[in-house]
Amino acid sequence: MPDDFAPASHVRLGSNSGQPQTRLDGLAKITGQATYAADNAPEGMLWAVYAGAPAGRGRVASLDTGAALAHPGVVHVITPQNRAELQQDPDARAHVFAWKIDILQSETIRYAGAPVALVLAETLEAATEGARLLAPEVEPLPVRIGFDDGEPFEAATVGIGANPATSVGDLEAGFAAAERITEVEIETPPQYHNAMEPHAIVAQWQDGRLVIDTPNQAIVMSRPLFAEYFGIAPEDVHIRSPYLGGGFGSKAILNGPQILACLAARETGRPVKLVLSRAQMYGPVGHRGATRQTLRLGTDAEGRLTALAHHSVSATSSFDDFLEPAANASLNTYASPAISASHSGSRWDIGTPGPMRAPGEATGSAALECAMDEAAEAAGLDPLEFRLRNYAETDPATGRAFSSKALRECYRLGAERFGWAGRPMAPGQMRDAKGRLLGWGMGTSLFPAPMSQALARATLRADGSALVETAAADMGQGAWTALAQIAADGLGLDLAQVEFRSGDSELPDGGVAGGSGHTATAGSALFSAGQDAVAQLVRLAVEDPASPLHGAGNQAVRAQGGRLMLEGDPSRSESYAAVLARAGLETLAGNGRGARSPEAAGAHAMFSHGAVFAEVAVDPDLFQIRVTRLVGAFAAGRIINPRLAESQLFGGMVWGLGFALQEEAVHDRRSGRLVNGDLAGYHVPVNADLASIEALTVPEEDPFVNALGVKGVGELGITGTVGAIANAVWHATGRRARRFPVMIEDLL
Amino acid sequence: MKSFDYLRPDTLDEALAALSDPDAAALGGGTNLLDLMKLGVAGPSKIVDLTRLPGLDRIETLPDGTVRIGALVRNAALPRDPGFAAAFPMVAEALLSGASGQLRNAATVGGNLMQATRCAYFQDPFAACNRRAPGTGCDAKDGANRNHAILGWSPACIATHPSDFCVPLAALGAIVEIAGPDGLRELPLAEFHLLPGEEAHLTTQLAPGEIVLALRLPPGAADFAGHARYLKLRERNSYAFAIVSAAAALRLEDGVIREARLALGGVAARPWRATAAETLLAGARPAPETFAAAAEAALAEAAPSGANGFKIALAGRILARALAAAAAGTPARMPALPGSVLDDSDTEAAHA
Ligand SMILES: Cc1cc2nc3c(=O)[nH]c(=O)nc-3n(C[C@H](O)[C@H](O)[C@H](O)COP(=O)(O)OP(=O)(O)OC[C@H]3O[C@@H](n4cnc5c(N)ncnc54)[C@H](O)[C@@H]3O)c2cc1C
Ligand code: SF4
């Protein structure tokens, strides 16, 4: 396929984009018609349940497989002793998106809850009881959890292949020139994705092909990862992932239980279903690693940054290296002549962390925004004024121009909407009618606008409607709706005339639903596929003497509402169906690709921005906190669907609230087991936590990010919000956050 | 999971007969028992579903003014009953401050009394826990114990009873009716739950084979309706167990406290009736200093059982706050955020 399907220059989208279309799959979901992976139950299926390691470190000395096998309904037990050979080493990291996973490769226990054996049975109940009966006996070793017990190490990479240390300018000179230096240390805890839908897989082998129902954020990309384990071709893996009940990064990465289910299906010759329990979600499927961050901010007499040093000690597992790239949040946010972002690691006996909604950006922004607030206080400046003085006109890390950056407008709009003016500088000055402490805080939101690569196909049909196809992933965020809107625009059709097919690896690669780049990437592919189909249609028309458009130049023909028409003379027009009919075509297919060209990527710094303002009410004696107002103003390029974008931004902001005040996975430091590994113990926000929320978007034309001008809104809202809330808590109480979540005892 | 027999008796006698099996467990709404079974903490071989027993889902007023609540009344139904909510507003408020709407729809009065501690180690079959497995030790003592007891704990166990509902019940002198193989008996609710002492696994006075039949609020308990509040401190503003909570009810005459009823929640293995503080308040005029003194008296014996010393100060403060709120008068309408110190509804008193 030639490369030039991707539209080269900024395009004019049609009338579908920009509409607040409700989710096209909404009705199916709320009526239970939508089938999630675990809803599948093929004929002859076995249930798989794995037993998890009861210790955080050590060795499984024995398993009572006899007891498990004796339990009625149990068919088979797979342990490291009898586990069949796999074609891939689970500890190999063969791919940049592949992490070391646990597939019963040994008796060594690397973290509590890691699979130690898999039980297959005729019913879920029998498999569950079988797994319990295995009662592993363990030779434990001392567990290392927490920054004080973790093993320090120098990291080779952070995040997904990023540099652990980056610096620009002369840091020493910057600090030497500073009038003031603000130093802040902040810890963030381990956090878990907690998607509503637990990880699940139904695996079956059909004529040598592996057919999998599993929620997946990277459908086509995952095929080779599965295939390698079984020595089959990627094309022989068929992944179906029509609906995801949330992914947040955890469903983009291959995990051990998935391979175990496929293996079990091969060994037993029967379809196998494995659904993680809620408790099992805290272990083998990733999480956001803890960080201990230190920031030093040098400022001059006018409150301008002279140097900014941000270091993160990021926790990871004892055996793999995903490190939360927290410090990198300081590279692109504020102007400073000298910036350093560096990381080191701390090895804990926990499951390996992975990308979780705004990986690095969320943790880093939380700490940076708190530090900026302290520096503003030290400089005697209003926090907004302080940020404006340090506004980055160009990307601080690279010196490049921003492809677009309407952050100033976000600050202005957000502050105005919130009513920021008149905020007292000192903390503890404001009370509500009931005598509660009120505090106002703010933070800057920033998230990259990356693109991955995607392909799409658009097929015009004889009746003038179209089928568009790409293996995109709808995690519940509404991707399919926004993508269908873009696809319809690419085709010059109304949304109702477009059939959208997705979520299946047999379709053209829709790329990864990650990095907030899915709409931009898959959308670009879909748009260009539509344009390709339309271009072919136009060629047919203008070359056909029977067409009213005969002889018109390609450029002079416009496609809209299922008709081709001469620009400037709508009387010369005909329907798509008419062109196809005359040409004797049942269908006409166009192909498209979405990707950013390296030149475009190298020329500009590309980010979404925003400003979040928070008000909290705090009880003056008991220190219970409630966020009474959150106002965010965001600039994220072109908004394809304002309703869905708003709900994504809300979701991010509410996530930020959870980060600031609630979310924390607590491990027992002796056993390594989670003490709050369920949704009763691991708190995420509820409606009562937030009295009012607004997410405004600032119009932003970006001719560089991609032809559609689309950035992303999926992760942006978390950044900025965490700091805004922590800063508001300070403004109410005079207490600075030193760790997240902020707890009542921290304020006493 | 482990297989078990499921029985749904239609009469009390059948139920009691089935429960004479030491491996049997009574089932109310199942919101606690089923979780514990899935966790492998409870493993009954027989489940006796009480929810079809006749007559136990009623709220009745007896001739002497006693209000009797059947053990199967749902946690959602009680606060919804207008008569009940008006007579015992702090009980209604406590119920509505607990769990979530869905859980309250399922949970029963009996199950709420009998619910297990939320101590993480109790819920983890691999952990040492004297309450679950006598003699194994207490992993909470040197573990995650931020929300453990500050009153009445022992080295054997530092767990708390997590119920909100039981706190105002203890304050109001509720009586628990118990049915068992030897007939009926009754006990004050404030003594129903046992403090750990040496034997942490004995959590209530209920003997094997006995069930909770009903609760009674004695005549006179409604006399506090005009000045009664339940306040609950928590980090999440709803759907969270208390860090500490307090029920405070006053009978005021001519601006003087004739009688006070106080209990604390989230502080001990039982709802903690604060009788010394009640005595101190009798005859006093409502005033911040008086309330602070009462709070101090209530917590005189308090001691941290781990990294939870902060709860002592908070328990005192929430008790004083609940007293002040009660003195100000029961709100005319149930607050939008029941039990919350951050509720925004207008606080116009009911002048009951
Ligand atoms: C996520 C979550 C959050 C919660 N939050 C709160 C909260 O904030 N505040 C709060 O107070 N509670 C809270 N709860 C606890 C909830 O109130 C209890 O689970 C519920 O009240 C138990 O009632 P049930 O009928 O479902 O009991 P079941 O689960 O049926 O039974 C619980 C226990 O009581 C026994 N039992 C039941 N009925 C009887 C009887 N009549 N006689 C003798 N024994 C009996 C059972 O054998 C079992 O041991 C929460 C629970 C969950 C799961
Ligand atoms: S506090 Fe009680 S319930 Fe918790 S581990 Fe110790 S003995 Fe068990």
Side-chain angles (χ1 to χ4, degrees), chain A residues 170-233:
Chain A
D170 186 337
L171 211 61
E172 240 172 81
F175 283 119
E179 180 91 354
R180 263 183 220 89
I181 294 177
T182 305
E183 278 199 50
V184 172
E185 185 175 302
I186 288 186
E187 283 188 25
T188 66
Q191 299 169 344
Y192 282 77
H193 305 81
N194 282 315
M196 235 199 295
E197 177 204 24
H199 286 247
I201 182 165
V202 178
Q204 42 191 323
W205 290 84
Q206 293 172 349
D207 307 322
R209 291 193 85 207
L210 176 59
V211 181
I212 301 170
D213 296 293
T214 196
N216 195 305
Q217 295 176 238
I219 297 168
V220 174
M221 195 188 81
S222 298
R223 284 191 314 172
L225 302 185
F226 279 96
E228 282 162 10
Y229 278 98
F230 301 100
I232 58 177

Side-chain angles (χ1 to χ4, degrees), chain A residues 101-435:
Chain A
I101 57 181
D102 294 85
I103 324 178
L104 305 179
Q105 59 265 46
S106 91
E107 273 93 8
T108 304
I109 298 173
R110 309 198 276 201
Y111 57 92
V116 299
L118 186 77
V119 176
L120 294 143
E122 301 289 349
T123 63
L124 173 60
E125 291 76 11
T128 305
E129 183 62 8
R132 200 183 64 81
L133 288 169
L134 287 171
E137 260 176 44
V138 169
E139 288 162 7
L141 286 169
V143 167
R144 303 150 303 183
I145 286 183
F147 286 105
D148 298 333
D149 297 345
E151 217 169 79
F153 75 105
E154 290 312 314
T157 62
V158 295
I160 297 184
N163 284 332
T166 307
S167 69
V168 291
D170 186 337
L171 211 61
E172 240 172 81
F175 283 119
E179 180 91 354
R180 263 183 220 89
I181 294 177
T182 305
E183 278 199 50
V184 172
E185 185 175 302
I186 288 186
E187 283 188 25
T188 66
Q191 299 169 344
Y192 282 77
H193 305 81
N194 282 315
M196 235 199 295
E197 177 204 24
H199 286 247
I201 182 165
V202 178
Q204 42 191 323
W205 290 84
Q206 293 172 349
D207 307 322
R209 291 193 85 207
L210 176 59
V211 181
I212 301 170
D213 296 293
T214 196
N216 195 305
Q217 295 176 238
I219 297 168
V220 174
M221 195 188 81
S222 298
R223 284 191 314 172
L225 302 185
F226 279 96
E228 282 162 10
Y229 278 98
F230 301 100
I232 58 177
E235 300 71 49
D236 286 333
V237 177
H238 181 182
I239 298 174
R240 301 183 293 210
S241 182
Y243 299 104
L244 288 84
F248 312 119
S250 77
K251 288 170 183 161
I253 309 270
L254 190 76
N255 60 64
Q258 286 178 316
I259 298 295
L260 279 175
C262 300
L263 179 71
R266 197 181 65 180
E267 278 191 41
T268 58
R270 293 170 67 175
V272 167
K273 166 146 66 178
L274 190 159
V275 183
L276 267 62
S277 69
R278 181 56 64 184
Q280 289 176 325
M281 296 284 288
Y282 301 85
V285 293
H287 70 281
R288 193 196 298 286
T291 69
R292 177 180 272 177
Q293 302 178 51
T294 14
L295 288 104
R296 289 184 80 206
L297 281 65
T299 47
D300 68 14
E302 276 78 51
R304 289 193 175 76
L305 288 168
T306 60
L308 167 56
H310 190 162
H311 182 77
S312 174
V313 184
S314 300
T316 187
S317 66
S318 65
F319 55 96
D320 210 348
D321 289 355
F322 187 96
L323 275 76
E324 185 75 4
N328 289 352
S330 284
L331 288 172
N332 317 100
T333 313
Y334 298 108
S336 172
I339 303 179
S340 107
S342 59
H343 301 82
S344 57
S346 178
R347 293 207 181 280
W348 301 6
D349 295 308
I350 54 171
T352 306
M356 175 164 135
R357 202 172 184 185
E361 291 85 6
T363 41
S365 153
L368 173 62
E369 294 305 321
C370 289
M372 285 295 283
D373 217 62
E374 286 202 49
E377 183 198 2
L381 288 171
D382 174 84
L384 175 56
E385 171 58 25
F386 182 64
R387 283 167 175 83
L388 285 167
R389 286 197 192 183
N390 290 292
Y391 195 86
E393 300 291 352
T394 56
D395 176 26
T398 59
R400 280 181 205 143
F402 288 102
S403 59
S404 61
K405 180 176 178 177
L407 176 58
R408 224 180 234 112
E409 187 57 15
C410 296
Y411 284 140
R412 197 194 59 72
L413 186 68
E416 191 183 286
R417 185 79 185 175
F418 182 85
W420 181 261
R423 170 188 175 277
M425 291 280 280
Q429 303 300 301
M430 300 193 298
R431 300 246 174 179
D432 73 3
K434 300 198 165 176

Side-chain angles (χ1 to χ4, degrees), chain A residues 64 414 461 587:
Chain A
D64 197 348
R461 300 187 287 212
T587 60

Side-chain angles (χ1 to χ4, degrees), chain B residues 119 121-122 128-131 138-140 148 156-159:
Chain B
C119 172
Y121 303 97
F122 176 82
C129 171
N130 290 326
R131 185 168 278 249
C138 170
D139 268 352
H148 280 64
C157 177
I158 60 173

Side-chain angles (χ1 to χ4, degrees), chain A residues 125 434 436 668 673 684, chain B residues 1 121 124 236 343 345:
Chain A
E125 291 76 11
K434 300 198 165 176
R436 289 165 199 142
D668 181 82
R673 292 194 296 277
V684 295
Chain B
M1 65 209 290
Y121 303 97
D124 173 358
R236 180 158 71 180
D343 181 67
S345 353

